[in-house]
């Protein structure tokens, strides 16, 4: 669907370019209606710039997906070289996590970005109908497109952060957690407090997986706990293990069988698989009127 929308926007973009060239040639061959031609050219240039920005968003998205695909392939090759004995089961676990992540990203794109882009296309088509009959109305429609486009750009930035937080590479894991908390507070009324120690590890993949584990815990608490407060702590013990504790004051649940999808615990399944991939352990303590506490231990191996 994304490719079809992108190709459709390219066709509209080409039509605008052809229409602009036609008006320029017509203007050069005739001096009649010069001001009208100038106005139409101005509107066309605005539409072309707007569509160019939208197409740039798609190109950045495709580039991010391509880089993600290349990184996944590289990761699979490294696992195949280092863990030939149990590669099959671990590969299935990784693929399962990836598919669930892709499903979540696809759902977010469909529910927000693609819906807004569809509205933008509609507004652009509507403005093209008003160009000859009502230029002022056309200009107003394009102003609406401009405002919506800014909102789409922010949505794409959030999606890119979900794919790979830029702060992780630039400033490290602690800054990434602080940025994550700020992002969650923008979209949720729940109070989030935390205590984060500096966790050092030469393997950036382990640190990124720890980040994803905590992110999954926070998202699950926000979506399902129904509580008003979340607290999480990340620290390092004397044996070079990363200790993660995430607690909330929401409703409890039966933690004996989190593998059953009937209870809607897909997030906990992903969480459990990620912890296993890092040779870690996870304990869930969920009691009525006491909320839920998840404690995770992950070895920081180089």
């Amino acid at each position: 669907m994304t490719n079809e929308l992108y190709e459709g926007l390219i066709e509209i973009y080409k039509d605008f370019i052809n229409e602009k060239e036609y008006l320029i040639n017509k203007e050069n061959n005739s001096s009649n209606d010069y001001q009208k031609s100038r106005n139409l050219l101005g509107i066309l240039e605005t539409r072309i710039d707007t569509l160019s920005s939208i197409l740039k968003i798609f190109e950045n998205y495709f580039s991010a997906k391509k880089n993600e695909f290349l990184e996944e392939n590289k990761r699979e090759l490294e696992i195949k070289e280092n863990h030939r004995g149990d590669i099959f089961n671990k590969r299935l676990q990784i693929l399962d996590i990836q598919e669930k992540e892709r499903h979540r990203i696809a759902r977010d794109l469909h529910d927000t970005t693609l819906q807004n882009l569809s509205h933008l296309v509609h507004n652009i088509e509507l403005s093209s109908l008003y160009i000859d009959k009502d230029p002022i109305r056309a200009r107003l429609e394009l102003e609406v497109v401009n405002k919506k486009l800014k909102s789409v750009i922010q949505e794409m930035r959030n999606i890119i952060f979900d794919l790979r937080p830029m702060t992780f590479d630039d400033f490290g894991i602690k800054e990434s957690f602080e940025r994550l908390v700020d992002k969650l507070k923008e979209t949720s009324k729940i109070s989030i407090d935390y205590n984060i120690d500096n966790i050092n590890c030469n393997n950036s993949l382990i640190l990124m997986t720890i980040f994803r584990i905590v992110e999954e815990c926070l998202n699950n608490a926000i979506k399902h706990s129904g509580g008003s407060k979340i607290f999480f702590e990340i620290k390092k013990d004397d044996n070079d293990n990363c200790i993660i504790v995430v607690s909330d004051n929401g409703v409890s649940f039966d933690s004996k069988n989190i593998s059953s999808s009937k209870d809607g615990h897909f997030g906990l399944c992903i969480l459990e698989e990620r912890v296993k991939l890092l040779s870690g352990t996870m304990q869930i303590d969920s009691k009525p009127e006491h909320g839920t506490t998840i404690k995770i231990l992950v070895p920081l191996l180089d």
Side-chain angles (χ1 to χ4, degrees), residues 177-187 192 194:
F177 277 123
E178 293 172 352
R179 170 70 177 85
L180 174 63
V181 170
D182 290 339
K183 177 175 173 285
L184 293 175
K185 286 182 177 180
E186 290 176 359
T187 57
I192 304 176
Y194 56 89

Side-chain angles (χ1 to χ4, degrees), residues 21-36:
E21 292 177 353
Y22 171 78
L23 287 174
I24 292 175
N25 292 333
K26 183 179 179 182
E27 181 181 283
N28 293 335
N29 296 330
S30 174
S31 60
N32 296 331
D33 297 329
Y34 176 81
Q35 188 58 44
K36 181 179 179 181

